[in-house]
Amino acid sequence: NMLSREQWREARERSRRELGLKDSDILFMFAGALRSEKGVVQLAQAFLKLAAEHNNAFLAIAGGRELWGHGDVDTADQQVHTILAEAMTQRRAFLLGIVSPTTMLSYYAAADVFVLPSICQEAFGLVILEAFAAGIPVIGARSGGVPELVEDERTGLLVDQGDVDGLYRAMRRLLDRELRGRLGTAARQTAVNMSWENTVDRLEKIYQDVLASKVNP
């Protein structure tokens, strides 16, 4: 609700124009830490296969390895750069770096599909809910709490962790406008139902039920 319908449309048109996208182009987006745990290498590999077959497929990656403060060596960001080097030269793929929350709204508006192919056990995945709020479907890995948000074939598509071919097939399926529209509509409603107010009310009820069970075992 941060943008009106008109502002949302304008943000989409402006961001897609800056990226050089046509109305018929499909923009897949990832946002998060560029680390191996997030499955970004597999995403780059799957996209490369998709892009070779479909000229209207594009990929935007927002984020950087600095988003996680781990001190260990992780080369996922370098691998992604290498895999997508030619696609970036052709302006089929965009590495946006770390993006401010305000600017992210415009990229959510520009995107058609959000992809979160995590290999780690995601606890929740707030970016999924943000994508839902934008009315776009999500391709997520069967990882941690992701399947609790992404309902397969309803608000998005689920793939196995690390499955490049499965990720490619899911991305290919969502080139279909009608399927994107159906899943995106359900995704938006999920976000509406999970407002902070509703979440607090549900959490309070859980606490009350637990306290009641202690009083009346």
Side-chain angles (χ1 to χ4, degrees):
N1 295 326
M2 293 181 68
L3 298 177
S4 67
R5 184 182 297 273
E6 180 65 20
Q7 289 173 319
W8 196 260
R9 183 186 63 78
E10 291 176 355
R12 176 178 174 84
E13 291 178 354
R14 181 178 63 254
S15 297
R16 289 176 69 89
R17 184 168 58 249
E18 291 172 355
L19 295 174
L21 302 180
K22 302 187 296 293
D23 289 342
S24 57
D25 293 333
I26 310 303
L27 180 62
F28 295 86
M29 189 176 82
F30 166 91
L34 297 192
R35 295 183 58 88
S36 56
E37 297 97 322
K38 290 291 187 177
V40 289
V41 173
Q42 288 79 5
L43 172 58
Q45 293 169 337
F47 173 74
L48 215 59
K49 184 175 180 180
L50 182 74
E53 300 175 353
H54 300 276
N55 292 330
N56 65 334
F58 292 77
L59 174 66
I61 295 179
R65 62 172 306 186
E66 301 88 355
L67 290 175
W68 279 7
H70 297 289
D72 59 316
V73 176
D74 189 295
T75 62
D77 57 337
Q78 299 173 14
Q79 293 179 62
V80 169
H81 274 84
T82 300
I83 294 168
L84 296 178
E86 185 175 354
M88 288 190 290
T89 300
Q90 298 172 348
R91 293 190 63 78
R92 297 287 302 279
F94 309 92
L95 268 61
L96 306 173
I98 296 178
V99 178
S100 70
T102 302
T103 306
M104 274 303 300
L105 283 175
S106 296
Y107 285 123
Y108 278 123
D112 299 289
V113 180
F114 190 85
V115 189
L116 187 66
S118 300
I119 295 175
C120 64
Q121 293 297 99
E122 289 281 357
F124 182 77
L126 184 59
V127 289
I128 293 176
L129 208 55
E130 292 174 350
F132 281 178
I136 56 178
V138 173
I139 298 173
R142 293 183 176 89
S143 161
V146 171
E148 295 183 23
L149 280 175
V150 182
E151 296 182 56
D152 195 29
E153 301 288 345
R154 182 176 176 273
T155 59
L157 300 176
L158 291 174
V159 300
D160 292 333
Q161 291 174 300
D163 184 356
V164 174
D165 287 338
L167 187 56
Y168 152 75
R169 288 192 295 270
M171 295 171 74
R172 185 180 61 188
R173 283 190 63 194
L174 286 179
L175 292 173
D176 182 278
R177 181 187 295 271
E178 183 177 344
L179 179 59
R180 290 199 313 275
R182 176 172 62 82
L183 299 181
T185 298
R188 169 66 180 171
Q189 189 57 50
T190 297
V192 170
N193 294 340
M194 295 189 71
S195 66
W196 282 114
E197 293 81 2
N198 289 346
T199 301
V200 169
D201 288 344
R202 289 198 299 270
L203 184 60
E204 183 179 19
K205 185 179 185 307
I206 291 171
Y207 285 145
Q208 289 174 343
D209 290 345
V210 172
L211 289 172
S213 68
K214 296 294 184 181
V215 175
N216 304 301

